Amino acid sequence: MSRKLLETEGPAWVQKGIITPEQHQQLLALYPEDKQAIGLLPLLGSLLVGLSALSLVAANWQGLPEFVRLGLLLLSMIGAYATGDYFLRRGNGAVGIGLTGLGLILFGAGIVLVSQMYQLIGYDVTGLLAWAVAGVALTFLYRSRFLFILTVVIGGIVQGYNTGELGAFSVAAAVLTAGGLGYYWWRHPDALLAGVLATGVLWQAGLLIGLLHVKITWFFVPAMLLYAAGDWQPDRPAGRALQGPPLVAAFLFMLGLALYGEAGSYTELLRPPLWAYLSVMGVVLLISLAGKRARGRMASATDWLLLLPGFYFPGGLPLAVAALVVLYAYSGSLLVRAHQEQNPDRISLGTMLFILTTMVAYFKLTWEFMDKSLFFLIGGLLLLGLSWYLRRRNKHTLHSDTPHP
């Protein structure tokens, strides 16, 4: 039940005598108005005002004396932090955090501008790392979701600059993101922060794979380590949110195999040394399964179907078919779990993935050698058969749970 439902249907319930007006008010009190959207307005407003001032200064930067530039940088940063702290102490959290975030942005801008003024654009990323350190420290200090997200973005910028401009990977930036912010998320589990954190870490992992010029399938080692961390998280929604981006990456990868697996040039990028890859992924799998067992989530072990190393098949039709089998197995297992858990959102997701897989199979494999209507018929029969089996299983479960007189 939601406040919106109570507000729209409540008067009719009162009119029909289902509930009294007092009970209607009591129910409304259980669902207070969502102030998040309203609270975002001063936060975004303070950021936009600050960025506007920053743009004005930047446009006239070269014409300003050096001491004026330094003064502007210091005063604007200190002013943002001080006013942010002032508003936080007065209980206006949205404006306070917005100004603190602006101070953090000004701190990073100051590092870059001072480096340009004194031609200190270095050959390492140490200066920018201080930006990420400040972000992590402020996140812990104020326990702010906004500062957390901002710091993940800063970590990605620092890592992107380091790999793109300096040709090196910053272990410190990765540790600050995965370790520092990861520890914060572990202590303060949150679904939104989990998704943002996983996306930020995967971004840095992708940069590392690109920099090392190794087989792109090594990307799934850090990705599935993130997934395994979600298995150990006691807070189920937060843990599942952390596992979302790795699973999306694995599904898209397998979908790419189904679409382009027939091209030999594509498959050559995928195959790392067999035993080394399987050994490392085996260790990650054991960590994940141990977490699932400890938290009672073994049913979700079917997620690992997406990581089956089908890319060792010969390129061409066998590889595409193997990828489609994996996609069908994953989407089918997702539907089975969704019905067992009576989770409508997961049922919708599983159905969508199943249909998407069927469409890929239809357009890539069956267009030339199978009648189109026949393949749709097979896909439809599979869905209907699965639906019949699950309904029959639910009825059997309900019947067995009913106490006999």
Side-chain angles (χ1 to χ4, degrees), residues 177-193:
T177 304
L181 296 179
Y183 178 73
Y184 177 89
W185 167 80
W186 187 266
R187 296 294 303 273
H188 309 283
D190 181 282
L192 172 64
L193 299 188

Side-chain angles (χ1 to χ4, degrees), residues 334-335 337-339 342-352:
L334 194 63
L335 279 171
R337 283 171 50 203
H339 277 277
Q342 294 297 306
N343 188 327
D345 293 336
R346 192 166 290 170
I347 290 175
S348 302
L349 176 63
T351 304
M352 185 184 70

Side-chain angles (χ1 to χ4, degrees), residues 91-382:
N92 196 335
V95 176
I97 289 298
L99 289 169
T100 305
L102 177 62
L104 181 60
I105 294 173
L106 290 172
F107 179 57
I111 292 173
V112 174
L113 292 173
V114 169
S115 299
Q116 288 180 344
M117 284 169 56
Y118 296 101
Q119 299 182 347
L120 298 176
I121 298 178
Y123 301 97
D124 62 39
V125 78
T126 305
L128 290 177
L129 274 178
W131 192 17
V133 170
V136 174
L138 289 174
T139 300
F140 275 89
L141 180 62
Y142 292 109
R143 295 186 179 182
S144 162
R145 300 168 79 194
F146 174 69
L147 293 176
F148 183 101
I149 295 170
L150 188 58
T151 306
V152 171
V153 174
I154 290 171
I157 293 173
V158 173
Q159 197 66 267
Y161 173 79
N162 202 38
T163 54
E165 298 296 326
L166 305 179
F169 184 80
S170 173
V171 177
V175 170
L176 281 170
T177 304
L181 296 179
Y183 178 73
Y184 177 89
W185 167 80
W186 187 266
R187 296 294 303 273
H188 309 283
D190 181 282
L192 172 64
L193 299 188
V196 173
L197 175 65
T199 304
V201 173
L202 291 183
W203 163 252
Q204 295 198 30
L207 290 175
L208 176 62
I209 297 300
L211 184 68
L212 295 177
H213 299 292
V214 296
K215 304 296 184 185
I216 59 176
T217 38
W218 284 114
F219 168 81
F220 289 105
V221 173
M224 295 314 288
L225 275 173
L226 264 180
Y227 176 90
D231 284 324
W232 284 94
Q233 170 59 255
D235 186 287
R236 182 54 177 154
R240 197 62 187 165
L242 190 76
Q243 293 173 329
L247 288 178
V248 169
F251 187 87
L252 292 177
F253 171 74
M254 200 56 70
L255 204 63
L257 275 185
L259 287 168
Y260 305 108
E262 298 168 82
S265 57
Y266 178 71
T267 55
E268 288 175 1
L269 302 173
L270 307 177
R271 298 179 181 130
L274 177 63
W275 293 113
Y277 182 75
L278 292 183
S279 300
V280 174
M281 288 302 285
V283 171
V284 180
L285 173 62
L286 290 177
I287 295 172
S288 171
L289 292 178
K292 291 180 186 298
R293 184 175 181 182
R295 304 298 181 195
R297 303 166 186 165
M298 285 302 290
S300 62
T302 51
D303 289 343
W304 277 88
L305 286 171
L306 287 174
L307 274 299
L308 288 175
F311 45 84
Y312 284 105
F313 276 89
L317 188 61
L319 181 55
V321 171
L324 285 170
V325 169
V326 168
L327 291 174
Y328 272 125
Y330 175 73
S331 54
S333 67
L334 194 63
L335 279 171
V336 171
R337 283 171 50 203
H339 277 277
Q340 289 174 343
E341 299 169 2
Q342 294 297 306
N343 188 327
D345 293 336
R346 192 166 290 170
I347 290 175
S348 302
L349 176 63
T351 304
M352 185 184 70
L353 296 181
F354 194 95
I355 293 173
L356 178 62
T357 304
T358 303
M359 290 176 64
V360 170
Y362 173 70
F363 286 109
K364 290 301 297 183
L365 300 179
T366 65
W367 186 271
E368 296 180 353
F369 58 87
M370 183 180 286
D371 183 78
K372 306 173 185 62
S373 60
L374 178 60
F375 200 83
F376 275 125
L377 178 64
I378 293 174
L381 289 176
L382 283 172

